[in-house]
Amino acid sequence: MIANSITFSAQKDILKDFVDQTDSTIAGFVPRSLTVTQAELAGKTTIEADPESAQADVYRKLAKDIYNNKNEYVPSPLESDELKDWAESWSDKLLELKKNKKKVILRYKNLKFKIDKIKEILIK
């Protein structure tokens, strides 16, 4: 599996769990970049459009790593019910992460408000 445009740690966790569940592997993580978008709009590959770019180097390294890989993987597909259950479990985890993030932000704002009040008192 090649992971494209993965920016959040939860996304990496989901992919890592998926490859564990299916006995496969992640060949590499490819960041999304403006270079890719520009190449796509020009109807070219990134390497054709900007062969000296850092993004082109990412693709060359990925191709080299895949070519040189000596490990063989035969993925074990999930049955429909297994895939549904797996996806639902991640949905629940992501909702919990979102809820916890909101709590942390609220605590931060509350703490910042208190600090600002203390600063006002000390300045007077």
Side-chain angles (χ1 to χ4, degrees), residues 1 5-6 23 27 32 45 61 83 103 118 121 124:
M1 179 181 295
S5 304
I6 303 302
D23 297 324
R32 184 72 173 172
T45 67
K61 181 185 180 314
L83 181 59
K103 287 179 184 177
I118 292 170
I121 292 168
K124 290 181 181 180

Side-chain angles (χ1 to χ4, degrees), residues 41-74:
L41 291 172
K44 297 180 178 183
T45 67
T46 301
I47 293 175
E48 291 171 324
D50 195 353
E52 303 304 316
S53 68
Q55 191 71 19
D57 290 341
V58 168
Y59 290 124
R60 279 191 282 273
K61 181 185 180 314
L62 178 63
K64 185 178 179 179
D65 290 348
I66 291 170
Y67 180 79
N68 291 326
N69 180 34
K70 303 302 179 209
N71 298 322
E72 292 185 14
Y73 296 93
V74 180

